[in-house]
Amino acid sequence: MRRQRRYYEELRSIVEELGGKMSYVRCGRPPPGSWLAWLPGYTEKFFECNGRGFPELDSLYVPKISHPTSWEH
C-alpha cells in the first residue's frame, strides 16, 4: 500500500531536518488557516492562504514538467 503524502511534505521535511517545525494552524488565524514554520534562531513565520492555496509556499516548488496542470506536477 502506498503511503499518503503529507501536505507540503518536501518543505516540512527540510524544516524538520534543520531542527524546526512546520504545522497547520486554524485557531486565531484567517480562514481557512495558515501554515506556521519555525527554525531555531529565527522568528516564526505564518504563511497565509489566498483562498486557492499558499502562494509563498507554492512558489518554493519547482514543477516536474514544463507546463504543470495539477499539484502532482
Side-chain angles (χ1 to χ4, degrees):
M1 182 173 8
R2 189 172 144 191
R3 182 178 71 85
Q4 185 173 354
R5 183 182 172 277
R6 298 186 305 170
Y7 293 108
Y8 294 106
E9 181 169 352
E10 297 81 5
L11 295 175
R12 290 170 69 180
S13 294
I14 292 168
V15 169
E16 290 167 359
E17 287 172 13
L18 295 170
K21 294 184 181 193
M22 188 169 158
S23 57
Y24 190 72
V25 180
R26 289 181 193 265
C27 184
R29 303 302 303 170
S34 302
W35 279 96
L36 171 64
W38 173 84
L39 288 171
Y42 291 89
T43 303
E44 63 189 22
K45 168 74 174 153
F46 283 97
F47 296 92
E48 306 290 341
C49 180
N50 69 354
R52 295 186 342 232
F54 297 83
E56 288 183 279
L57 293 178
D58 296 339
S59 70
L60 298 173
Y61 279 91
V62 175
K64 294 177 184 177
I65 63 173
S66 54
H67 299 290
T69 57
S70 78
W71 68 269
E72 292 178 316
H73 296 156

